[in-house]
Amino acid sequence: MKIVDEKEFAAANVFGKGADNVAYAQYFIGQSFLKPLTQAGDPIAISNVTFEPGCRNNWHIHHASKGGGQILICTAGEGWYQEEGKDAVSLAPGMVITIPANVKHWHGAKKDSWFSHLAFEAPGEELSNEWCEPVDNAQYDALEEGNE
């Protein structure tokens, strides 16, 4: 369900919005928020990531020589996920996206909805993240227009 009103979204966002995502702001178009749910040293890193309407991250790759990748569990609002060379997937609460290591992708909110997902960083070997180019406005707007 799309949620434009921030107060309504806050009630639906069961893990909470978190703090401004300052450390990664350069890799996002729009404002995002981050709320870590596990501690450093835990076996799996899990964070709740919240995107304001229209916010999305840049294309990026979770590299690993073995294992790795990312799992997204959508929890509130509506968003998008897209792998390079594939059609975008409309995201809604309850959906699970499994992103293999070494796959270029992006994710974020629809332009008329707040959006949150839990992000699980899968354990692996030789893990690193590569941030790539932004999802440009023309590409993003065409997605929205074609899938309303």
Side-chain angles (χ1 to χ4, degrees), residues 71-145:
I71 298 169
L72 306 178
I73 299 178
C74 307
T75 59
E78 289 192 16
W80 293 109
Y81 168 76
Q82 186 174 19
E83 291 181 7
E84 185 175 48
K86 295 185 178 180
D87 291 338
V89 175
S90 179
L91 302 176
M95 293 181 70
V96 177
I97 300 292
T98 302
I99 307 163
N102 308 310
V103 171
K104 189 174 182 181
H105 66 282
W106 69 271
H107 34 103
K110 291 190 175 179
K111 67 175 145 179
D112 57 354
S113 183
W114 284 84
F115 177 63
S116 280
H117 63 56
L118 298 181
F120 294 72
E121 298 298 326
E125 296 177 9
E126 298 178 28
L127 301 175
S128 66
N129 289 336
E130 176 185 355
W131 289 99
C132 306
E133 71 278 5
V135 177
D136 67 51
N137 289 335
Q139 178 185 12
Y140 181 76
D141 290 344
L143 237 184
E144 292 286 343
E145 291 165 9

